[in-house]
Amino acid sequence: MPEPITPVTFPSAFLWGAATSAYQIEGAVREGGRTPSIWDTFSHTPGKTAGGETGDIAVDHYHRYRDDVALMAELGLSAYRFSISWSRVQPTGRGPAVQVGLDFYRRLVDELLAAGIKPAVTLYHWDLPQELEDAGGWPERDTAFRFAEYAQIVGEALGDRVENWITLNEPWCSAFLGYASGVHAPGRTEPVASLKAAHHLNLAHGLGTSALRAAMPARNSVAISLNSSVVRPLSPGDPADLAAVQKIDDLANGVFHGPILRGAYPETLLAATSSLTDWSYVLDGDLRAIHQPLDALGLNYYTPTLVSAADASVRGPRSDGHGASDHSPWPGADDVAFHLTPGDRTEMGWSIDPTGLHELIMRYTAEAPGLPLYITENGAAYDDKPDSDGRVHDPERIAYLHGHLSAVRRAIADGADVRGYYLWSLLDNFEWAYGYEKRFGAVYVDYATLTRTPKSSALWYGQAARTGTLAPTETT
Ligand code: PNW
């Protein structure tokens, strides 16, 4: 399909950002009193990550943060979303804060502000302090209270200079990849525990939001980033496939959006999981603690999900793109089959479908009227390699970004209040169970030397950030 020639222009206040997370980029895992998180333990367990790779060094952002901020400024980005390593700030997950840990983030924030880049802090991007996992992890109720204490510490330390806050990143991954399919840390495969984890993550979000509000100036904004799935039926006219959509939509979206945006778990979710759990760990007052005003909602989007009712013959190994495991990340959904979505694919095997992003934005515009939206992650992995001249050309990534940013622009034209977009990711980095083999960065990292080289997509995106307009892809 030829690209449109007419320029696609965004509102002038639109934030053009990039996103990262602590364990994926920082390295320096034993510095400044930091103790292991569940991702240190998991990545050091044989067989858990591709090639046994770990975040021990990652891209050494802990030592190179000044250069990384300078690079963002040079590209022309106006915002940066990063996460804080809980075990750098509170090594055992409880008790007093470590000043060295907080100081690192304060220096990073000051560097960003000096460069005119607006910071957005994610408090939790999957790296639970190992000691809290040893005490039961997210299936244990106390973890939510520990999170609130941690939120208070960070809010007090950085609330004077960081305006945009995100409590949790993609709790779906924490709960269901961490405790059901086990492809993420801590690698447990316990369906009931994964549902408890989901509830306690919701509770952590609620208690954490209150703690942040008490610790920070009222002008600051508190949000959560959800990997809200766009779930589609294989046969739109087949009621059994539509029931499969409902089930997966509840387990992917409703389990978080229900309590957070509406103060209740969906009835259909409670019914679909009733043979596994009676949800008795949802205590009086929990839903009130979870359901409270938010200032914004973060949406992470990569690809849609295609499902049907499973006849017995197609049950079993899944093609849902959530990693290889004999255990499903979808508790109570053994009667659902997952299908490869049509379209070109990225290196993750995820199909490219910008219409899904438009659909997602319009859905939350309707479900959470008046709530500003941010695309807190969107991007693509490709097998990037430097040319003989040392440059990295990634036209596929430019086309991906162009397509998805155009979808965002269309949603704005359709009445959605989307305030910004954070490309995943600033740098190539540790892609969890896939190690370093999947490159999501707009900036190429040579892992032998840790040298950073902006790919052509970074230059294209920087131009969009500086001009508020998407250059047609054929010029690049
Ligand atoms: C998100 N899934 O991860 C994360 O927030 C990032 O840290 C990550 O690097 C990025 O997307 C790319 O993968 C996901 O299986 C991991 O559905 C897995 C899934 C979704 C998101």
Side-chain angles (χ1 to χ4, degrees):
M1 213 170 58
E3 292 297 336
I5 306 294
T6 35
V8 181
T9 301
F10 283 73
S12 59
F14 193 79
L15 290 182
W16 298 84
T20 62
S21 88
Y23 190 68
Q24 294 180 275
I25 64 164
E26 284 182 0
V29 293
R30 278 174 282 274
E31 284 181 49
R34 181 189 178 283
T35 55
S37 78
I38 55 176
W39 266 98
D40 294 281
T41 308
F42 188 75
S43 67
H44 280 272
T45 305
K48 297 299 184 188
T49 65
E53 283 165 342
T54 73
D56 285 3
I57 298 171
V59 300
D60 196 33
H61 172 76
Y62 186 77
H63 297 114
R64 295 168 195 245
Y65 72 93
R66 278 202 180 83
D67 296 342
D68 291 337
V69 173
L71 190 53
M72 281 188 261
E74 212 175 289
L75 290 172
L77 305 193
S78 51
Y80 176 54
R81 170 178 180 245
F82 64 94
S83 82
I84 292 192
S85 154
W86 188 342
S87 57
R88 240 182 238 300
V89 167
Q90 244 189 335
T92 62
R94 30 179 124 238
V98 168
Q99 206 50 44
V100 190
L102 287 172
D103 284 346
F104 167 67
Y105 295 106
R106 204 176 280 128
R107 288 198 306 273
L108 169 62
V109 166
D110 287 347
E111 200 78 11
L112 288 163
L113 294 172
I117 299 170
K118 204 175 181 120
V121 165
T122 305
L123 285 174
Y124 185 74
H125 199 125
W126 309 353
D127 44 357
L128 189 72
Q130 181 61 43
E131 284 207 22
L132 292 185
E133 176 57 32
D134 295 343
W138 285 111
E140 185 60 48
R141 186 175 172 85
D142 185 57
T143 306
F145 292 85
R146 302 283 65 78
F147 176 79
E149 194 179 288
Y150 158 66
Q152 182 197 332
I153 290 172
V154 182
E156 278 168 3
L158 301 177
D160 60 339
R161 58 199 84 189
V162 175
E163 210 178 291
N164 289 337
W165 291 78
I166 293 157
T167 53
L168 307 177
N169 177 70
E170 300 192 357
W172 183 85
C173 293
S174 299
F176 299 110
L177 300 182
Y179 293 92
S181 72
V183 300
H184 280 186
R188 286 164 59 179
T189 51
E190 304 160 37
V192 177
S194 74
L195 292 165
K196 284 189 191 167
H199 177 61
H200 295 141
L201 283 153
N202 280 327
L203 188 59
H205 161 75
L207 300 173
T209 299
S210 304
L212 281 177
R213 296 217 188 275
M216 304 194 307
R219 63 170 184 273
N220 291 349
S221 151
V222 181
I224 182 167
S225 284
L226 298 170
N227 54 322
S228 312
S229 301
V230 174
V231 189
R232 294 175 171 159
L234 187 63
S235 311
D238 182 342
D241 285 8
L242 294 175
V245 167
Q246 177 73 55
K247 200 173 233 189
I248 297 307
D249 189 68
D250 282 341
L251 285 165
N253 302 316
V255 65
F256 302 106
H257 297 141
I260 291 170
L261 299 176
R262 285 182 294 283
Y265 284 100
E267 287 300 330
T268 42
L269 170 71
L270 302 181
T273 52
S274 63
S275 65
L276 288 171
T277 177
D278 60 3
W279 293 82
S280 53
Y281 38 87
V282 181
L283 304 187
D284 272 358
D286 282 6
L287 289 165
R288 217 171 325 116
I290 297 167
H291 179 225
Q292 50 176 305
L294 281 182
D295 301 302
L297 187 63
L299 304 176
N300 296 357
Y301 173 81
Y302 291 91
T303 190
T305 302
L306 188 61
V307 303
S308 71
D311 56 57
S313 62
V314 291
R315 286 186 200 182
R318 279 148 226 279
S319 51
D320 60 357
H322 298 303
S325 169
D326 297 335
H327 301 271
S328 169
W330 305 105
D334 290 340
D335 54 349
V336 174
F338 291 83
H339 303 271
L340 281 176
T341 44
D344 291 341
R345 290 169 196 292
T346 68
E347 274 293 298
M348 295 299 283
W350 297 348
S351 70
I352 302 168
D353 187 347
T355 67
L357 180 54
H358 178 268
E359 189 180 321
L360 186 67
I361 295 170
M362 295 322 291
R363 171 177 178 178
Y364 288 101
T365 296
E367 282 194 20
L371 197 59
L373 305 176
Y374 289 88
I375 308 308
T376 39
E377 281 181 29
N378 174 243
Y382 286 106
D383 188 16
D384 306 303
K385 287 191 184 68
D387 287 353
S388 53
D389 61 4
R391 284 198 264 259
V392 186
H393 295 284
D394 56 343
E396 311 91 333
R397 185 172 289 100
I398 295 176
Y400 184 99
L401 297 174
H402 189 287
H404 287 79
L405 280 159
S406 300
V408 172
R409 184 65 189 86
R410 273 200 310 283
I412 295 173
D414 293 342
D417 185 8
V418 187
R419 305 274 177 98
Y421 174 95
Y422 296 85
L423 179 164
W424 185 271
S425 178
L426 176 66
L427 301 155
D428 291 335
N429 61 45
F430 177 72
E431 178 51 31
W432 307 114
Y434 295 92
Y436 295 96
E437 83 190 17
K438 306 292 184 211
R439 293 178 176 272
F440 271 94
V443 174
Y444 182 85
V445 177
D446 173 357
Y447 287 111
T449 61
L450 296 174
T451 308
R452 280 85 157 128
T453 307
K455 303 175 191 177
S456 51
S457 62
L459 305 176
W460 178 88
Y461 185 66
Q463 191 193 333
R466 288 191 307 273
T467 60
T469 301
L470 307 184
T473 57
E474 65 233 331
T475 63
T476 39

